[in-house]
Amino acid sequence: MKTKIILAFSALILFTTCSNEKEESTIDEEVIKTVNVRTSTVVPQNFDSFLKVVGIVETSDDIMISAEVSGRVTKYYVQEGEKVKTGEIILKIDDAKLNQEKARLEAITAQARENYERLKKIYEEDGIGSEIDYLNAKYAYEQNTSSLASLKIDISNTKIKAPFNGIVEEIMYEVGEVVNAGAPTVRLIGSQNYTITAGVPARYASSIKKGDDVRVWFDTQNSDTLTKQVSFVGNAINPQNRTFRIEIDVEESERLKVDMISNIQLKTMERNEVIIVSEEFIYSKDGNFIVYVLSKDEKGKAVAKEKVVLLGASYKSNVIVEAGLEPGEELITIGSAFLNNGMRLNVVEEKNQIAAQ
């Protein structure tokens, strides 16, 4: 019986010793636990931010030519897509009825003139007749003369002419159709000056100025990218979409079409020699923004140091650090998401990037 008690006591001591050794081994492993990371030296850089907006190709000469008289379209002198010069006739409206009215007014005017000249002669030279008859004849002649002149203008307006050099974009009526006065008949687009217009959000009103360089492209091909300048900046904000208007002048080109959609890249900020950090290495903690930099503990071992930073402007994933990070410090990048302040580190080289990840 005594022998069994001694054996049991020995087994208990052996188990306790093994448990203590295992616990001490676990504590040692926790103490020397490290995280594989990569670092990047903090170096001041230039920071640019951009804004992309959508613009539309327009031209200063894009009008609808309306008929000034009513009548039937009798002839087109040009077709859609043809170029015309200033003063060239585009279409003709039937003037037969107007010419008949002209003949009638010419006869009435001639009669009024004869009557006026006769009364004038006998009144001024012979003193015969009344002054009121003389004045009525004079006014009747002047009214008929004015009506005849107005009718001649209407007849000339039956020929619709190009007010500037351009291209006939669209014909609204077919030959034989009746057009009313004031109705659009032809769309004429000038072929000289093209402008790209766009709306820019109001919050960038102080960032965009006349003369700023912009990049313009119409598809994904780099060869179609143009470098231009802002030629106009609007002074009013559109109350409906809270944007202001900008314009960019472009040269005439066969590949540019009116109402074509374009992409415009505007520079909204430019700062030199600032510290820039990718947002993926910035964390929120206790109401502050923090980053981790490489430091050493009292034993000279590499550890993570938590630093509170003040952030500034951002563009895409890049953020300006206004304060809290100094040039020359080693910013912890890959592996920083697993860190806490003071955690032991194992800095790996670029060739061991997979291990760090």
Side-chain angles (χ1 to χ4, degrees), residues 3-37:
T3 301
K4 290 183 179 180
I5 293 174
I6 293 173
L7 290 175
F9 182 72
S10 299
L12 178 62
I13 293 174
L14 179 62
F15 176 78
T16 303
T17 302
C18 291
S19 298
N20 290 338
E21 289 177 354
K22 184 176 181 180
E23 183 177 355
E24 289 176 359
S25 176
T26 302
I27 293 174
D28 289 342
E29 289 179 359
E30 290 179 353
V31 170
I32 63 173
K33 182 180 180 181
T34 62
V35 176
N36 291 336
V37 298

PDB file of all heavy atoms in Angstrom, residues 3-37:
ATOM      1  N   THR A   3       3.828   1.493  -1.093  1.00  0.00           N
ATOM      2  CA  THR A   3       4.523   1.585  -2.388  1.00  0.00           C
ATOM      3  C   THR A   3       3.626   2.244  -3.433  1.00  0.00           C
ATOM      4  O   THR A   3       4.058   3.061  -4.228  1.00  0.00           O
ATOM      5  CB  THR A   3       4.907   0.179  -2.876  1.00  0.00           C
ATOM      6  OG1 THR A   3       5.742  -0.425  -1.887  1.00  0.00           O
ATOM      7  CG2 THR A   3       5.643   0.262  -4.204  1.00  0.00           C
ATOM      8  N   LYS A   4       2.341   1.953  -3.466  1.00  0.00           N
ATOM      9  CA  LYS A   4       1.391   2.546  -4.416  1.00  0.00           C
ATOM     10  C   LYS A   4       1.273   4.041  -4.215  1.00  0.00           C
ATOM     11  O   LYS A   4       1.176   4.822  -5.159  1.00  0.00           O
ATOM     12  CB  LYS A   4       0.020   1.883  -4.265  1.00  0.00           C
ATOM     13  CG  LYS A   4       0.000   0.446  -4.754  1.00  0.00           C
ATOM     14  CD  LYS A   4      -1.399  -0.133  -4.634  1.00  0.00           C
ATOM     15  CE  LYS A   4      -1.447  -1.574  -5.152  1.00  0.00           C
ATOM     16  NZ  LYS A   4      -2.800  -2.162  -5.046  1.00  0.00           N
ATOM     17  N   ILE A   5       1.273   4.468  -2.924  1.00  0.00           N
ATOM     18  CA  ILE A   5       1.161   5.916  -2.630  1.00  0.00           C
ATOM     19  C   ILE A   5       2.370   6.649  -3.145  1.00  0.00           C
ATOM     20  O   ILE A   5       2.272   7.713  -3.728  1.00  0.00           O
ATOM     21  CB  ILE A   5       1.001   6.126  -1.111  1.00  0.00           C
ATOM     22  CG1 ILE A   5      -0.353   5.550  -0.654  1.00  0.00           C
ATOM     23  CG2 ILE A   5       1.111   7.610  -0.751  1.00  0.00           C
ATOM     24  CD1 ILE A   5      -0.530   5.573   0.857  1.00  0.00           C
ATOM     25  N   ILE A   6       3.550   6.046  -2.955  1.00  0.00           N
ATOM     26  CA  ILE A   6       4.789   6.682  -3.428  1.00  0.00           C
ATOM     27  C   ILE A   6       4.783   6.793  -4.947  1.00  0.00           C
ATOM     28  O   ILE A   6       5.154   7.817  -5.503  1.00  0.00           O
ATOM     29  CB  ILE A   6       6.004   5.853  -2.944  1.00  0.00           C
ATOM     30  CG1 ILE A   6       6.123   5.941  -1.426  1.00  0.00           C
ATOM     31  CG2 ILE A   6       7.283   6.365  -3.610  1.00  0.00           C
ATOM     32  CD1 ILE A   6       7.197   5.019  -0.839  1.00  0.00           C
ATOM     33  N   LEU A   7       4.360   5.752  -5.634  1.00  0.00           N
ATOM     34  CA  LEU A   7       4.325   5.769  -7.095  1.00  0.00           C
ATOM     35  C   LEU A   7       3.345   6.832  -7.614  1.00  0.00           C
ATOM     36  O   LEU A   7       3.613   7.548  -8.584  1.00  0.00           O
ATOM     37  CB  LEU A   7       3.915   4.392  -7.634  1.00  0.00           C
ATOM     38  CG  LEU A   7       4.970   3.285  -7.455  1.00  0.00           C
ATOM     39  CD1 LEU A   7       4.409   1.935  -7.903  1.00  0.00           C
ATOM     40  CD2 LEU A   7       6.221   3.629  -8.268  1.00  0.00           C
ATOM     41  N   ALA A   8       2.190   6.953  -6.997  1.00  0.00           N
ATOM     42  CA  ALA A   8       1.193   7.952  -7.409  1.00  0.00           C
ATOM     43  C   ALA A   8       1.708   9.362  -7.224  1.00  0.00           C
ATOM     44  O   ALA A   8       1.513  10.258  -8.055  1.00  0.00           O
ATOM     45  CB  ALA A   8      -0.100   7.747  -6.609  1.00  0.00           C
ATOM     46  N   PHE A   9       2.418   9.565  -6.089  1.00  0.00           N
ATOM     47  CA  PHE A   9       2.978  10.896  -5.806  1.00  0.00           C
ATOM     48  C   PHE A   9       4.055  11.251  -6.829  1.00  0.00           C
ATOM     49  O   PHE A   9       4.130  12.382  -7.314  1.00  0.00           O
ATOM     50  CB  PHE A   9       3.557  10.883  -4.383  1.00  0.00           C
ATOM     51  CG  PHE A   9       4.113  12.231  -3.977  1.00  0.00           C
ATOM     52  CD1 PHE A   9       3.254  13.291  -3.691  1.00  0.00           C
ATOM     53  CD2 PHE A   9       5.484  12.427  -3.921  1.00  0.00           C
ATOM     54  CE1 PHE A   9       3.782  14.512  -3.344  1.00  0.00           C
ATOM     55  CE2 PHE A   9       5.995  13.651  -3.563  1.00  0.00           C
ATOM     56  CZ  PHE A   9       5.148  14.709  -3.250  1.00  0.00           C
ATOM     57  N   SER A  10       4.848  10.265  -7.194  1.00  0.00           N
ATOM     58  CA  SER A  10       5.901  10.501  -8.198  1.00  0.00           C
ATOM     59  C   SER A  10       5.287  10.853  -9.557  1.00  0.00           C
ATOM     60  O   SER A  10       5.769  11.725 -10.273  1.00  0.00           O
ATOM     61  CB  SER A  10       6.772   9.238  -8.321  1.00  0.00           C
ATOM     62  OG  SER A  10       7.402   8.952  -7.073  1.00  0.00           O
ATOM     63  N   ALA A  11       4.225  10.158  -9.913  1.00  0.00           N
ATOM     64  CA  ALA A  11       3.558  10.434 -11.197  1.00  0.00           C
ATOM     65  C   ALA A  11       2.978  11.836 -11.214  1.00  0.00           C
ATOM     66  O   ALA A  11       3.015  12.544 -12.231  1.00  0.00           O
ATOM     67  CB  ALA A  11       2.458   9.391 -11.428  1.00  0.00           C
ATOM     68  N   LEU A  12       2.434  12.277 -10.073  1.00  0.00           N
ATOM     69  CA  LEU A  12       1.862  13.627  -9.988  1.00  0.00           C
ATOM     70  C   LEU A  12       2.937  14.677 -10.169  1.00  0.00           C
ATOM     71  O   LEU A  12       2.758  15.677 -10.877  1.00  0.00           O
ATOM     72  CB  LEU A  12       1.158  13.793  -8.638  1.00  0.00           C
ATOM     73  CG  LEU A  12       0.547  15.182  -8.380  1.00  0.00           C
ATOM     74  CD1 LEU A  12      -0.528  15.470  -9.424  1.00  0.00           C
ATOM     75  CD2 LEU A  12      -0.062  15.232  -6.964  1.00  0.00           C
ATOM     76  N   ILE A  13       4.102  14.453  -9.543  1.00  0.00           N
ATOM     77  CA  ILE A  13       5.211  15.405  -9.676  1.00  0.00           C
ATOM     78  C   ILE A  13       5.676  15.465 -11.120  1.00  0.00           C
ATOM     79  O   ILE A  13       5.924  16.540 -11.668  1.00  0.00           O
ATOM     80  CB  ILE A  13       6.371  14.991  -8.752  1.00  0.00           C
ATOM     81  CG1 ILE A  13       5.952  15.154  -7.298  1.00  0.00           C
ATOM     82  CG2 ILE A  13       7.622  15.828  -9.045  1.00  0.00           C
ATOM     83  CD1 ILE A  13       6.990  14.626  -6.308  1.00  0.00           C
ATOM     84  N   LEU A  14       5.784  14.304 -11.786  1.00  0.00           N
ATOM     85  CA  LEU A  14       6.228  14.254 -13.178  1.00  0.00           C
ATOM     86  C   LEU A  14       5.246  14.988 -14.091  1.00  0.00           C
ATOM     87  O   LEU A  14       5.643  15.751 -14.976  1.00  0.00           O
ATOM     88  CB  LEU A  14       6.368  12.787 -13.607  1.00  0.00           C
ATOM     89  CG  LEU A  14       6.817  12.573 -15.078  1.00  0.00           C
ATOM     90  CD1 LEU A  14       8.202  13.179 -15.281  1.00  0.00           C
ATOM     91  CD2 LEU A  14       6.848  11.073 -15.369  1.00  0.00           C
ATOM     92  N   PHE A  15       3.942  14.819 -13.890  1.00  0.00           N
ATOM     93  CA  PHE A  15       2.917  15.484 -14.710  1.00  0.00           C
ATOM     94  C   PHE A  15       2.958  16.992 -14.513  1.00  0.00           C
ATOM     95  O   PHE A  15       2.863  17.762 -15.465  1.00  0.00           O
ATOM     96  CB  PHE A  15       1.530  14.920 -14.331  1.00  0.00           C
ATOM     97  CG  PHE A  15       0.406  15.605 -15.045  1.00  0.00           C
ATOM     98  CD1 PHE A  15       0.127  15.286 -16.369  1.00  0.00           C
ATOM     99  CD2 PHE A  15      -0.364  16.585 -14.411  1.00  0.00           C
ATOM    100  CE1 PHE A  15      -0.889  15.913 -17.036  1.00  0.00           C
ATOM    101  CE2 PHE A  15      -1.361  17.217 -15.085  1.00  0.00           C
ATOM    102  CZ  PHE A  15      -1.645  16.875 -16.389  1.00  0.00           C
ATOM    103  N   THR A  16       3.126  17.408 -13.257  1.00  0.00           N
ATOM    104  CA  THR A  16       3.185  18.858 -12.965  1.00  0.00           C
ATOM    105  C   THR A  16       4.388  19.479 -13.618  1.00  0.00           C
ATOM    106  O   THR A  16       4.326  20.566 -14.175  1.00  0.00           O
ATOM    107  CB  THR A  16       3.246  19.079 -11.445  1.00  0.00           C
ATOM    108  OG1 THR A  16       2.110  18.465 -10.848  1.00  0.00           O
ATOM    109  CG2 THR A  16       3.250  20.574 -11.117  1.00  0.00           C
ATOM    110  N   THR A  17       5.539  18.758 -13.558  1.00  0.00           N
ATOM    111  CA  THR A  17       6.761  19.280 -14.172  1.00  0.00           C
ATOM    112  C   THR A  17       6.589  19.424 -15.686  1.00  0.00           C
ATOM    113  O   THR A  17       6.960  20.435 -16.283  1.00  0.00           O
ATOM    114  CB  THR A  17       7.935  18.343 -13.868  1.00  0.00           C
ATOM    115  OG1 THR A  17       8.074  18.224 -12.453  1.00  0.00           O
ATOM    116  CG2 THR A  17       9.214  18.888 -14.474  1.00  0.00           C
ATOM    117  N   CYS A  18       6.003  18.439 -16.332  1.00  0.00           N
ATOM    118  CA  CYS A  18       5.783  18.479 -17.790  1.00  0.00           C
ATOM    119  C   CYS A  18       4.833  19.611 -18.169  1.00  0.00           C
ATOM    120  O   CYS A  18       5.029  20.309 -19.161  1.00  0.00           O
ATOM    121  CB  CYS A  18       5.213  17.141 -18.274  1.00  0.00           C
ATOM    122  SG  CYS A  18       6.413  15.786 -18.154  1.00  0.00           S
ATOM    123  N   SER A  19       3.782  19.817 -17.362  1.00  0.00           N
ATOM    124  CA  SER A  19       2.820  20.888 -17.639  1.00  0.00           C
ATOM    125  C   SER A  19       3.489  22.239 -17.545  1.00  0.00           C
ATOM    126  O   SER A  19       3.265  23.126 -18.367  1.00  0.00           O
ATOM    127  CB  SER A  19       1.645  20.807 -16.657  1.00  0.00           C
ATOM    128  OG  SER A  19       0.977  19.592 -16.815  1.00  0.00           O
ATOM    129  N   ASN A  20       4.361  22.433 -16.538  1.00  0.00           N
ATOM    130  CA  ASN A  20       5.053  23.710 -16.365  1.00  0.00           C
ATOM    131  C   ASN A  20       5.997  23.965 -17.524  1.00  0.00           C
ATOM    132  O   ASN A  20       6.101  25.093 -18.033  1.00  0.00           O
ATOM    133  CB  ASN A  20       5.831  23.721 -15.055  1.00  0.00           C
ATOM    134  CG  ASN A  20       4.898  23.773 -13.844  1.00  0.00           C
ATOM    135  OD1 ASN A  20       3.747  24.210 -13.974  1.00  0.00           O
ATOM    136  ND2 ASN A  20       5.388  23.313 -12.697  1.00  0.00           N
ATOM    137  N   GLU A  21       6.695  22.898 -17.951  1.00  0.00           N
ATOM    138  CA  GLU A  21       7.618  23.055 -19.069  1.00  0.00           C
ATOM    139  C   GLU A  21       6.858  23.431 -20.348  1.00  0.00           C
ATOM    140  O   GLU A  21       7.285  24.282 -21.122  1.00  0.00           O
ATOM    141  CB  GLU A  21       8.394  21.752 -19.294  1.00  0.00           C
ATOM    142  CG  GLU A  21       9.410  21.486 -18.191  1.00  0.00           C
ATOM    143  CD  GLU A  21      10.116  20.161 -18.409  1.00  0.00           C
ATOM    144  OE1 GLU A  21       9.693  19.444 -19.353  1.00  0.00           O
ATOM    145  OE2 GLU A  21      11.063  19.857 -17.669  1.00  0.00           O
ATOM    146  N   LYS A  22       5.685  22.795 -20.561  1.00  0.00           N
ATOM    147  CA  LYS A  22       4.877  23.087 -21.741  1.00  0.00           C
ATOM    148  C   LYS A  22       4.366  24.508 -21.701  1.00  0.00           C
ATOM    149  O   LYS A  22       4.348  25.240 -22.700  1.00  0.00           O
ATOM    150  CB  LYS A  22       3.708  22.090 -21.817  1.00  0.00           C
ATOM    151  CG  LYS A  22       2.868  22.262 -23.079  1.00  0.00           C
ATOM    152  CD  LYS A  22       1.794  21.201 -23.138  1.00  0.00           C
ATOM    153  CE  LYS A  22       0.962  21.363 -24.405  1.00  0.00           C
ATOM    154  NZ  LYS A  22      -0.095  20.345 -24.482  1.00  0.00           N
ATOM    155  N   GLU A  23       3.931  24.978 -20.499  1.00  0.00           N
ATOM    156  CA  GLU A  23       3.412  26.347 -20.349  1.00  0.00           C
ATOM    157  C   GLU A  23       4.513  27.359 -20.593  1.00  0.00           C
ATOM    158  O   GLU A  23       4.317  28.369 -21.275  1.00  0.00           O
ATOM    159  CB  GLU A  23       2.835  26.501 -18.950  1.00  0.00           C
ATOM    160  CG  GLU A  23       2.206  27.880 -18.713  1.00  0.00           C
ATOM    161  CD  GLU A  23       1.584  27.982 -17.335  1.00  0.00           C
ATOM    162  OE1 GLU A  23       1.567  26.966 -16.622  1.00  0.00           O
ATOM    163  OE2 GLU A  23       1.138  29.086 -16.982  1.00  0.00           O
ATOM    164  N   GLU A  24       5.745  27.079 -20.054  1.00  0.00           N
ATOM    165  CA  GLU A  24       6.859  27.986 -20.263  1.00  0.00           C
ATOM    166  C   GLU A  24       7.233  28.039 -21.740  1.00  0.00           C
ATOM    167  O   GLU A  24       7.559  29.085 -22.286  1.00  0.00           O
ATOM    168  CB  GLU A  24       8.063  27.522 -19.438  1.00  0.00           C
ATOM    169  CG  GLU A  24       7.872  27.720 -17.940  1.00  0.00           C
ATOM    170  CD  GLU A  24       9.035  27.157 -17.149  1.00  0.00           C
ATOM    171  OE1 GLU A  24       9.958  26.613 -17.800  1.00  0.00           O
ATOM    172  OE2 GLU A  24       9.022  27.243 -15.916  1.00  0.00           O
ATOM    173  N   SER A  25       7.142  26.860 -22.421  1.00  0.00           N
ATOM    174  CA  SER A  25       7.450  26.824 -23.852  1.00  0.00           C
ATOM    175  C   SER A  25       6.447  27.656 -24.649  1.00  0.00           C
ATOM    176  O   SER A  25       6.809  28.390 -25.568  1.00  0.00           O
ATOM    177  CB  SER A  25       7.443  25.379 -24.351  1.00  0.00           C
ATOM    178  OG  SER A  25       7.652  25.339 -25.747  1.00  0.00           O
ATOM    179  N   THR A  26       5.152  27.576 -24.254  1.00  0.00           N
ATOM    180  CA  THR A  26       4.115  28.371 -24.933  1.00  0.00           C
ATOM    181  C   THR A  26       4.340  29.853 -24.719  1.00  0.00           C
ATOM    182  O   THR A  26       4.220  30.667 -25.634  1.00  0.00           O
ATOM    183  CB  THR A  26       2.729  27.971 -24.416  1.00  0.00           C
ATOM    184  OG1 THR A  26       2.538  26.577 -24.639  1.00  0.00           O
ATOM    185  CG2 THR A  26       1.641  28.772 -25.133  1.00  0.00           C
ATOM    186  N   ILE A  27       4.708  30.245 -23.491  1.00  0.00           N
ATOM    187  CA  ILE A  27       4.963  31.656 -23.198  1.00  0.00           C
ATOM    188  C   ILE A  27       6.138  32.164 -24.014  1.00  0.00           C
ATOM    189  O   ILE A  27       6.103  33.254 -24.585  1.00  0.00           O
ATOM    190  CB  ILE A  27       5.233  31.849 -21.692  1.00  0.00           C
ATOM    191  CG1 ILE A  27       3.955  31.543 -20.894  1.00  0.00           C
ATOM    192  CG2 ILE A  27       5.698  33.270 -21.406  1.00  0.00           C
ATOM    193  CD1 ILE A  27       4.154  31.560 -19.396  1.00  0.00           C
ATOM    194  N   ASP A  28       7.200  31.316 -24.112  1.00  0.00           N
ATOM    195  CA  ASP A  28       8.373  31.724 -24.896  1.00  0.00           C
ATOM    196  C   ASP A  28       7.995  31.935 -26.361  1.00  0.00           C
ATOM    197  O   ASP A  28       8.450  32.880 -27.002  1.00  0.00           O
ATOM    198  CB  ASP A  28       9.472  30.658 -24.794  1.00  0.00           C
ATOM    199  CG  ASP A  28      10.105  30.648 -23.394  1.00  0.00           C
ATOM    200  OD1 ASP A  28       9.920  31.654 -22.682  1.00  0.00           O
ATOM    201  OD2 ASP A  28      10.728  29.637 -23.061  1.00  0.00           O
ATOM    202  N   GLU A  29       7.124  31.038 -26.891  1.00  0.00           N
ATOM    203  CA  GLU A  29       6.719  31.168 -28.281  1.00  0.00           C
ATOM    204  C   GLU A  29       5.937  32.453 -28.507  1.00  0.00           C
ATOM    205  O   GLU A  29       6.087  33.130 -29.516  1.00  0.00           O
ATOM    206  CB  GLU A  29       5.886  29.961 -28.696  1.00  0.00           C
ATOM    207  CG  GLU A  29       6.711  28.677 -28.828  1.00  0.00           C
ATOM    208  CD  GLU A  29       5.838  27.509 -29.228  1.00  0.00           C
ATOM    209  OE1 GLU A  29       4.617  27.725 -29.365  1.00  0.00           O
ATOM    210  OE2 GLU A  29       6.369  26.399 -29.386  1.00  0.00           O
ATOM    211  N   GLU A  30       5.082  32.843 -27.524  1.00  0.00           N
ATOM    212  CA  GLU A  30       4.316  34.072 -27.658  1.00  0.00           C
ATOM    213  C   GLU A  30       5.232  35.277 -27.587  1.00  0.00           C
ATOM    214  O   GLU A  30       5.025  36.276 -28.276  1.00  0.00           O
ATOM    215  CB  GLU A  30       3.253  34.134 -26.570  1.00  0.00           C
ATOM    216  CG  GLU A  30       2.133  33.103 -26.769  1.00  0.00           C
ATOM    217  CD  GLU A  30       1.112  33.190 -25.651  1.00  0.00           C
ATOM    218  OE1 GLU A  30       1.372  33.954 -24.698  1.00  0.00           O
ATOM    219  OE2 GLU A  30       0.080  32.512 -25.735  1.00  0.00           O
ATOM    220  N   VAL A  31       6.250  35.212 -26.773  1.00  0.00           N
ATOM    221  CA  VAL A  31       7.159  36.333 -26.609  1.00  0.00           C
ATOM    222  C   VAL A  31       7.916  36.597 -27.895  1.00  0.00           C
ATOM    223  O   VAL A  31       8.104  37.743 -28.310  1.00  0.00           O
ATOM    224  CB  VAL A  31       8.127  36.074 -25.448  1.00  0.00           C
ATOM    225  CG1 VAL A  31       9.232  37.129 -25.435  1.00  0.00           C
ATOM    226  CG2 VAL A  31       7.375  36.084 -24.129  1.00  0.00           C
ATOM    227  N   ILE A  32       8.342  35.538 -28.569  1.00  0.00           N
ATOM    228  CA  ILE A  32       9.172  35.723 -29.761  1.00  0.00           C
ATOM    229  C   ILE A  32       8.342  35.684 -31.048  1.00  0.00           C
ATOM    230  O   ILE A  32       8.883  35.666 -32.128  1.00  0.00           O
ATOM    231  CB  ILE A  32      10.262  34.633 -29.833  1.00  0.00           C
ATOM    232  CG1 ILE A  32       9.638  33.243 -29.965  1.00  0.00           C
ATOM    233  CG2 ILE A  32      11.190  34.714 -28.649  1.00  0.00           C
ATOM    234  CD1 ILE A  32      10.665  32.144 -30.211  1.00  0.00           C
ATOM    235  N   LYS A  33       7.010  35.720 -30.917  1.00  0.00           N
ATOM    236  CA  LYS A  33       6.147  35.688 -32.083  1.00  0.00           C
ATOM    237  C   LYS A  33       6.366  36.944 -32.923  1.00  0.00           C
ATOM    238  O   LYS A  33       6.345  38.046 -32.392  1.00  0.00           O
ATOM    239  CB  LYS A  33       4.693  35.598 -31.643  1.00  0.00           C
ATOM    240  CG  LYS A  33       3.711  35.507 -32.800  1.00  0.00           C
ATOM    241  CD  LYS A  33       2.286  35.417 -32.268  1.00  0.00           C
ATOM    242  CE  LYS A  33       1.292  35.333 -33.408  1.00  0.00           C
ATOM    243  NZ  LYS A  33      -0.099  35.258 -32.891  1.00  0.00           N
ATOM    244  N   THR A  34       6.587  36.809 -34.228  1.00  0.00           N
ATOM    245  CA  THR A  34       6.845  37.943 -35.123  1.00  0.00           C
ATOM    246  C   THR A  34       5.918  37.903 -36.321  1.00  0.00           C
ATOM    247  O   THR A  34       5.307  36.875 -36.615  1.00  0.00           O
ATOM    248  CB  THR A  34       8.302  37.933 -35.620  1.00  0.00           C
ATOM    249  OG1 THR A  34       8.520  36.734 -36.366  1.00  0.00           O
ATOM    250  CG2 THR A  34       9.280  38.035 -34.473  1.00  0.00           C
ATOM    251  N   VAL A  35       5.830  39.059 -37.029  1.00  0.00           N
ATOM    252  CA  VAL A  35       5.025  39.181 -38.247  1.00  0.00           C
ATOM    253  C   VAL A  35       5.952  39.555 -39.394  1.00  0.00           C
ATOM    254  O   VAL A  35       6.771  40.470 -39.267  1.00  0.00           O
ATOM    255  CB  VAL A  35       3.929  40.260 -38.089  1.00  0.00           C
ATOM    256  CG1 VAL A  35       3.171  40.435 -39.402  1.00  0.00           C
ATOM    257  CG2 VAL A  35       2.967  39.878 -36.975  1.00  0.00           C
ATOM    258  N   ASN A  36       5.847  38.835 -40.484  1.00  0.00           N
ATOM    259  CA  ASN A  36       6.636  39.161 -41.662  1.00  0.00           C
ATOM    260  C   ASN A  36       6.054  40.412 -42.341  1.00  0.00           C
ATOM    261  O   ASN A  36       4.855  40.469 -42.627  1.00  0.00           O
ATOM    262  CB  ASN A  36       6.630  38.007 -42.657  1.00  0.00           C
ATOM    263  CG  ASN A  36       7.409  36.807 -42.151  1.00  0.00           C
ATOM    264  OD1 ASN A  36       8.292  36.956 -41.325  1.00  0.00           O
ATOM    265  ND2 ASN A  36       7.069  35.634 -42.650  1.00  0.00           N
ATOM    266  N   VAL A  37       6.885  41.397 -42.609  1.00  0.00           N
ATOM    267  CA  VAL A  37       6.423  42.650 -43.214  1.00  0.00           C
ATOM    268  C   VAL A  37       7.418  43.118 -44.264  1.00  0.00           C
ATOM    269  O   VAL A  37       8.549  42.641 -44.335  1.00  0.00           O
ATOM    270  CB  VAL A  37       6.244  43.759 -42.148  1.00  0.00           C
ATOM    271  CG1 VAL A  37       5.196  43.381 -41.132  1.00  0.00           C
ATOM    272  CG2 VAL A  37       7.567  44.092 -41.485  1.00  0.00           C
TER     273      VAL A  37
END
